[in-house]
Amino acid sequence: MKKHGYTGAFFCKPCSPAEQYGASCDGCALFYRSDRFDLCAEPQGQTFKAMDGSAGNQGMLMVHLFDRHCNTPICAATTHLKAKPGQANNAIRDHQVSQHAASLNFSCLIRA
């Protein structure tokens, strides 16, 4: 991506199933054009809490950037939600999305 003008950030899942098979861990990645955006702070990765409050395995990545073309700060984010179909996993994803939204609201408010 670098040769195409992109800079990236990566947050590895704490217990990636891919590593069991000798592959690199999976997680969240976010890329941005380095000719347009400046990084304002270190990228922030965090895992979601499970529904019982324990540490989860999926997470999110937030990057605070400054858009030089629009002269505007932005917060870009991506997430790695629970996979697999089913009602129980839908409830887990809903819980994760709530945490993601709360983190974004808090993070963007402090940066404003």
Side-chain angles (χ1 to χ4, degrees):
M1 297 292 291
K2 190 173 187 173
K3 71 180 183 176
H4 298 289
Y6 289 87
T7 300
F10 179 71
F11 178 68
C12 183
K13 285 173 62 174
C15 185
S16 173
E19 293 176 307
Q20 298 172 16
Y21 303 102
S24 300
C25 71
D26 62 327
C28 302
L30 198 143
F31 294 87
Y32 57 93
R33 293 291 306 223
S34 50
D35 63 345
R36 179 169 180 167
F37 298 98
D38 291 320
L39 185 63
C40 297
E42 284 298 310
Q44 300 171 323
Q46 67 185 53
T47 55
F48 297 121
K49 297 280 186 211
M51 293 180 74
D52 65 4
S54 64
N57 195 39
Q58 290 79 28
M60 64 176 282
L61 174 65
M62 285 186 294
V63 179
H64 293 277
L65 303 167
F66 184 79
D67 184 338
R68 291 192 303 264
H69 292 179
C70 298
N71 201 34
T72 305
I74 66 166
C75 176
T78 186
T79 186
H80 192 303
L81 298 175
K82 176 70 177 163
K84 299 182 185 169
Q87 199 60 28
N89 288 329
N90 286 344
I92 292 170
R93 283 187 287 275
D94 287 346
H95 183 68
Q96 292 171 337
V97 167
S98 294
Q99 291 175 70
H100 187 75
S103 291
L104 287 173
N105 286 337
F106 179 74
S107 181
C108 292
L109 282 175
I110 346 186
R111 300 266 181 219

